[in-house]
Amino acid sequence: MIGGIVGYFVGRARGRKTVSKPTGPTVADLIQRLVLDSRNGIAVVNPFGGVVLYNSRAAELGVVSNNRLDDRARKAAEGVAETGEAVDIDLTPVESRGRQPEAVRAEIRPLIDGFTVVDAADESEAVRLEATRRDFVANVSHELKTPVGAMALLAEAVLDAADDVEQVRRFGSKILREATRLGTLVTELIALSRLTGAEKLPELNSVDVDAVVQEALGRATLTLESSGVEIATDEPSGLLVDGDRTLLVTALSNLLENAVAYSSPGSPVSISRRMHDGYVEIAVTDRGIGIADEHQQRVFERFYRVDKARSRVTGGTGLGLAIVKHVAANHGGEVKLWSKPGTGSTFTLRIPARRVNGDKVLARIPAPGAEIKTGGAL
């Protein structure tokens, strides 16, 4: 009898279907991982305003602090739970502390049974870009109005002094100077627009660095003659880069003109070339007034001038170094600055050396006896 009972239960056990536990993550695991790894700040809120789930990004953005939801978000979540309609709110930190974001926007959406979700994003970069755009438009308007207004006044003066040849000549030369300044400003604005993505950049080709230096020196001839500043260069390097020759010449010319503008008559300016860590470095060094630390991070901004009075005298537009920065960036390089007030400055344009089939081509062989020198030695 006992054997029959045992056999009965054994048979039932064998007849049962084996239910195996599914392998891999569950849907709940995937959803939790999605929330935790989201680039946005995510917080799930219960009907009582308590946080039941949030990710580290929510804490970084200030949406959740010490497991408590921001008061603004909590009040908005209560309204969303009642109406069932999503809302957008501003959760920008009230007080600036350390590396907190400058602007945070959040969307609060209803879930089920009174639960809501807060989805917050850092919009600091968009705010900074908008501020930069506003400043740029304001600066362009101001910079264009100055020479245009001056030309209008000078033209009136010419008309009033039509019978005075000397006065006409004097005012006429001033009109020409303002017109040249206006033309330079427009040209540089177009160049900057091109470099920042308004136009497609030309295809990069092999460029001889020595030829770039020589052409930039040629462009600076008139400026050098009127300033009394001497430029000395090192020996030809034979270095090559992949780039656009016109843009590289423009960048180096701007560095030279900047060095000359902020140097005293008779003081030296030097150009040097070298290969360093796979980059071709072209350094322009002056013995001018130098740049204080608080200005060094801003000199590459559009229209930013360390010495506004000197810029007006030299006719600078405030765009030269911004163009240099963008030329370097569009070539996969950078521009570095070393400066000390009263000692001088060194701007270094760093461009990746030319590569062929993944291998670096460091240089060509300079022609025997080739020299590229202008002015006196340092």
Side-chain angles (χ1 to χ4, degrees):
M1 175 125 181
I2 294 175
I5 294 173
V6 171
Y8 169 75
F9 281 107
V10 170
R12 285 193 61 184
R14 289 177 177 176
R16 290 175 183 170
K17 293 182 179 179
T18 303
V19 179
S20 60
K21 186 178 180 180
T23 59
T26 64
V27 173
D29 293 334
L30 294 174
I31 292 175
Q32 187 175 31
R33 178 51 57 190
L34 178 65
V35 170
L36 295 177
D37 291 346
S38 174
R39 292 186 178 182
N40 286 1
I42 304 292
V44 178
V45 185
N46 65 24
F48 308 103
V51 180
V52 296
L53 175 66
Y54 70 94
N55 60 5
S56 60
R57 186 62 172 154
E60 292 172 3
L61 296 179
V63 176
V64 178
S65 179
N66 297 322
N67 293 320
R68 293 176 61 86
L69 193 64
D70 182 282
D71 286 340
R72 294 166 293 178
R74 181 179 55 78
K75 292 178 182 179
E78 291 175 357
V80 170
E82 292 179 3
T83 64
E85 296 181 357
V87 298
D88 289 324
I89 64 170
D90 183 4
L91 293 182
T92 300
V94 178
E95 297 180 2
S96 178
R97 297 177 181 175
R99 297 184 178 180
Q100 279 189 321
E102 297 178 9
V104 177
R105 296 289 303 181
E107 181 185 24
I108 302 180
R109 301 186 297 271
L111 293 177
I112 57 173
D113 297 333
F115 283 79
T116 55
V117 60
V118 181
D119 187 351
D122 183 357
E123 296 189 352
S124 302
E125 186 62 24
V127 170
R128 282 193 290 268
L129 288 174
E130 178 60 21
T132 300
R133 186 194 66 80
R134 288 197 303 268
D135 290 343
F136 180 66
V137 171
N139 286 327
V140 168
S141 301
H142 174 74
E143 294 293 338
L144 290 175
K145 283 172 62 178
T146 301
V148 169
M151 290 169 66
L153 292 173
L154 290 168
E156 291 179 4
V158 168
L159 292 174
D160 292 340
D163 297 330
D164 189 332
V165 177
E166 289 300 322
Q167 288 290 81
V168 169
R169 183 177 292 109
R170 184 167 70 90
F171 290 131
S173 63
K174 290 184 177 181
I175 291 175
L176 178 60
R177 184 166 61 249
E178 293 296 333
T180 301
R181 178 185 173 191
L182 181 60
T184 301
L185 177 59
V186 171
T187 299
E188 292 191 349
L189 281 171
I190 293 172
L192 196 56
S193 175
R194 178 190 179 198
L195 289 167
T196 52
E199 293 183 22
K200 184 179 179 180
L201 291 176
E203 185 177 347
L204 303 184
N205 299 303
S206 175
V207 178
D208 183 351
V209 172
D210 298 332
V212 170
V213 172
Q214 191 171 26
E215 187 172 344
L217 286 170
R219 287 192 187 184
T221 299
L222 293 178
T223 304
L224 292 172
E225 290 177 352
S226 60
S227 67
V229 173
E230 296 182 338
I231 293 185
T233 69
D234 57 356
E235 295 296 327
S237 62
L239 295 170
L240 300 173
V241 297
D242 283 323
D244 178 86
R245 174 167 170 162
T246 301
L247 292 178
L248 291 174
V249 170
T250 297
L252 185 56
S253 297
N254 286 344
L255 290 181
L256 284 174
E257 290 177 4
N258 189 72
V260 171
Y262 289 89
S263 296
S264 302
S267 65
V269 171
S270 65
I271 301 175
S272 61
R273 293 149 280 190
R274 71 167 184 167
M275 171 68 64
H276 182 67
D277 290 340
Y279 284 80
V280 172
E281 296 186 344
I282 309 175
V284 177
T285 302
D286 64 63
R287 302 293 184 270
I289 60 177
I291 304 171
D293 291 342
E294 62 266 25
H295 297 296
Q296 291 186 19
Q297 295 299 319
R298 301 197 61 191
V299 292
F300 297 101
E301 296 178 9
R302 301 166 182 176
F303 296 113
Y304 186 82
R305 296 180 175 94
V306 175
D307 188 340
K308 295 182 179 180
R310 182 183 287 264
S311 293
R312 284 195 294 270
V313 172
T314 60
T317 64
L319 294 174
L321 291 179
I323 290 175
V324 174
K325 175 184 175 180
H326 285 289
V327 168
N330 284 323
H331 283 77
E334 62 180 339
V335 57
K336 288 189 171 183
L337 167 62
W338 176 92
S339 187
K340 185 176 181 180
T343 301
S345 306
T346 297
F347 287 86
T348 303
L349 185 62
R350 302 183 75 240
I351 305 296
R354 185 181 178 224
R355 295 172 179 268
V356 175
N357 296 327
D359 296 326
K360 297 175 186 175
V361 177
L362 301 184
R364 61 171 174 78
I365 299 176
E371 292 187 356
I372 305 176
K373 289 193 175 183
T374 301
L378 289 176

